[in-house]
Amino acid sequence: MTTSLKGKPAADCVRDGVKSRVDERRQKAGSVPGLAVVLVGRDPASEIYVAKKHKAAVAVGMHSFECRLDANSGTGAVLDVVSQLNRNPDVHGILVQLPLPDGVDSDAVIQHIDAAKDVDGLGRLSQGALVQNRPGLRPCTAVGIIDLLDYYEVPLEGRQAVVVGRSSLVGLPTALLLMHRNATVSVIHSKTPSPARIARTADILVVAAGRPGLVTREWIKPNAVVVDVGIHRTDSGIVGDVLADEAWGHAGAFTPVPGGVGPMTIAELLHNTWMAFQTQVVAG
Ligand code: NAD
């Protein structure tokens, strides 16, 4: 029997916590957090994500700002928008929807976001704080994975964890967060020889490779907890990086795709926006 680690109840828990704090703040002081999302171009998947983020922010009582730019806007135009948002006191969190079109320097844009408003946790100060396990804004998907595991009471300390992928958005921060929780962590990436052999040592296997169906039964230790971060739209529906049919009945617990990690990412964005607001306004 494989337990399904559904994201919705865990995400609702995070979201409800944020909503009650926002409600309380509005009643006491009349101010609420503001989240700005910058979308450059008209990538259909990005449009869907931005719409979901807007809806989620409004649902917990935050102000939501959308800044749209043309696909052929240059780096300078995007930097100008970020500068305006950095200065805007009603905006406490800024998220630039990735990927940016070719011709826009993504790193320059990300690093231009005021560190206090970096709700995607991708700036150098946020990532440095993560490495050193100091307080700071963490990448939403990575912290969502940890909260999901905590929600289902999966013990982390002393366990063997393997993370497939080392992106600064998902794989690397997840590996660091697991390490900070005293798991023993290995990271597999595109140049790792014999990845299945290493993956099979994992009590907790997190897969964020962006390769549909990469992970087969051979990669999974019987009864391991498997977190599938991948999202791929295919002719047969949305699939992950793990071959789901091979994980069910073999893993001890498995996150469904869709409906596993995905809901956590948006809930954590709201949580980060609350944290950013608290640092800038409540504690400031
Ligand atoms: P990325 O392309 O930036 O990074 C992929 C990583 O996987 C790289 O570090 C690469 O070395 C590694 N990799 C690639 N091929 C591999 C292979 N054959 N074997 C081992 N490692 C390999 O991708 P990302 O931004 O980290 O996203 C990964 C996946 O997670 C994508 O499918 C993305 O759509 C999905 N994602 C989901 C959510 C969510 O909320 N569920 C959020 C972010 C990303």
Side-chain angles (χ1 to χ4, degrees):
M1 254 291 269
T2 304
T3 304
S4 178
L5 304 181
K6 292 193 176 74
K8 188 175 181 307
D12 284 349
C13 189
V14 173
R15 207 184 295 250
D16 291 350
V18 172
K19 186 171 184 328
S20 61
R21 279 174 272 180
V22 172
D23 288 347
E24 192 186 339
R25 174 74 192 177
R26 185 189 309 100
Q27 279 158 21
K28 273 194 188 152
S31 60
V32 296
L35 170 67
V37 178
V38 179
L39 177 61
V40 186
R42 299 209 140 261
D43 174 65
S46 293
E47 294 268 6
I48 294 171
Y49 291 135
V50 168
K52 279 187 177 175
K53 286 165 188 173
H54 169 74
K55 203 173 149 198
V58 170
V60 296
M62 292 180 179
H63 288 146
S64 170
F65 303 86
E66 255 180 55
C67 305
R68 288 172 173 269
L69 285 99
D70 232 43
N72 51 19
S73 307
T75 304
V78 186
L79 291 177
D80 285 347
V81 167
V82 173
S83 294
Q84 285 165 25
L85 296 172
N86 282 343
R87 286 193 300 268
N88 185 339
D90 295 328
V91 170
H92 308 95
I94 303 170
L95 181 143
V96 175
Q97 186 64 44
L98 301 173
L100 288 168
D102 293 346
V104 179
D105 181 342
S106 299
D107 187 55
V109 171
I110 289 164
Q111 302 309 332
H112 195 59
I113 296 170
D114 182 337
K117 301 188 179 187
D118 177 23
V119 286
D120 228 359
L122 288 174
R124 287 195 186 99
L125 280 175
S126 303
Q127 298 245 319
L130 167 62
V131 168
Q132 297 186 352
N133 200 17
R134 290 172 193 268
L137 296 165
R138 310 293 194 227
C140 303
T141 304
V143 80
I145 291 167
I146 302 297
D147 280 354
L148 185 68
L149 293 171
D150 283 344
Y151 180 85
Y152 286 101
E153 297 180 348
V154 175
L156 303 179
E157 182 161 325
R159 311 289 298 286
Q160 193 71 40
V162 174
V163 178
V164 186
R166 57 177 167 180
S167 71
S168 45
L169 190 66
V170 190
L172 189 58
T174 304
L176 289 164
L177 289 172
L178 286 166
M179 210 182 305
H180 295 326
R181 290 287 299 273
N182 298 321
T184 302
V185 183
S186 305
V187 176
I188 290 173
H189 48 77
S190 53
K191 308 282 185 231
T192 304
S194 311
R197 183 180 53 76
I198 299 165
R200 231 176 14 245
T201 64
D203 302 313
I204 299 158
L205 177 63
V206 179
V207 189
R211 299 279 179 274
L214 172 72
V215 171
T216 58
R217 182 169 294 208
E218 199 204 342
W219 291 53
I220 303 170
K221 177 159 112 179
N223 289 321
V225 173
V226 181
V227 177
D228 188 355
V229 187
I231 305 179
H232 310 278
R233 281 161 222 282
T234 69
D235 292 343
S236 49
I238 296 177
V239 301
D241 286 354
V242 178
L243 270 184
D245 288 350
E246 303 208 2
W248 293 116
H250 180 71
F254 183 47
T255 58
V257 177
V261 174
M264 296 306 292
T265 299
I266 292 186
E268 301 296 350
L269 172 65
L270 302 175
H271 184 253
N272 273 355
T273 306
W274 168 258
M275 300 284 286
F277 173 74
Q278 206 180 23
T279 312
Q280 291 162 65
V281 178
V282 182

